[in-house]
Amino acid sequence: MTEAPPPLEAGRYRVALICLGNICRSPTADVVLTDRLAAAGLGEVVEVVSAGTGDWHVGEAMDRRSAALLTREGYDPTRHRAQQVRTDWLANVDLLLEMDRQNLADLQALGPATPERLRLFRDFDPEGTGEDVPDPWHGGESGFVDVLTMVERTADQLVERLRSVVGT
Ligand code: 4NP
């Protein structure tokens, strides 16, 4: 069973969700995880951010296909603006979750970070543990639906793991 690493600082926990462009996968995971944490009463303790390894979309809103799907499913995607990952997060974020192996390799290349804090998002997926979240950007609608399905069930498991380490 995958555990979340202990907090760097008692009473708060920071999770960063990382993909390539920060307009499809990691912002989808950000919106869903933030929603689930609030529902679990952990919204004040666990802070969620997302970012891309690339800088092409910095400042942009979410991809309109991801945003439309989230809206249809009852989430609010409108607050997102893309940003690029910051190297100082490596030492100051409790858990950096990468959407795929390339994102993980890129984060590892950025600088030293504890392996237990630098992990694949789907290490927390109760189905298909350790797989990539496939990049839906070049594909059709079904890729976006698949991403949301795996993100929702992974977020549910992640909330339980976070609850254990923040002790609430
Ligand atoms: P994301 O998807 O990493 O899930 O946000 C992508 C968005 C943009 C690009 C690639 C993937 N791009 O090449 O611009």
Side-chain angles (χ1 to χ4, degrees):
M1 188 171 68
T2 304
E3 304 292 345
L8 291 162
E9 210 181 292
R12 68 190 282 273
Y13 205 92
R14 294 182 73 204
V15 178
L17 301 160
I18 312 295
C19 64
L20 179 59
N22 194 218
I23 53 172
C24 301
R25 292 166 294 171
S26 64
T28 294
D30 187 343
V31 165
V32 171
L33 182 60
T34 299
D35 184 80
R36 297 294 203 268
L37 286 165
L42 295 173
E44 301 295 312
V45 182
V46 183
E47 180 194 348
V48 182
V49 292
S50 71
T53 56
D55 65 358
W56 312 283
H57 300 284
V58 168
E60 291 179 17
M62 209 181 289
D63 180 283
R64 84 171 85 80
R65 298 161 294 178
S66 297
L69 177 60
L70 285 167
T71 302
R72 201 156 73 227
E73 295 300 321
Y75 299 97
D76 176 10
T78 60
R79 287 191 301 270
H80 179 73
R81 292 297 175 269
Q83 61 177 335
Q84 190 173 25
V85 66
R86 288 172 27 194
T87 48
D88 65 330
W89 290 2
L90 294 171
N92 298 317
V93 173
D94 295 284
L95 186 56
L96 292 115
L97 295 174
E98 282 66 60
M99 294 292 139
D100 66 33
R101 281 174 169 65
Q102 184 60 54
N103 307 147
L104 180 60
D106 289 343
L107 264 284
Q108 285 164 340
L110 265 188
T114 332
E116 67 162 359
R117 298 195 187 276
L118 208 54
R119 304 260 283 273
L120 286 172
F121 179 72
R122 289 187 70 194
D123 281 354
F124 292 89
D125 186 349
E127 299 169 34
T129 302
E131 301 286 320
D132 289 346
V133 178
D135 187 346
W137 198 61
H138 297 285
E141 171 67 21
S142 69
F144 289 85
V145 174
D146 290 347
V147 166
L148 183 58
T149 302
M150 56 185 78
V151 160
E152 285 181 321
R153 72 171 183 252
T154 302
D156 285 337
Q157 171 104 321
L158 190 51
V159 167
E160 293 315 311
R161 298 293 174 268
L162 293 171
R163 193 199 295 284
S164 318
V165 287
V166 298
T168 308

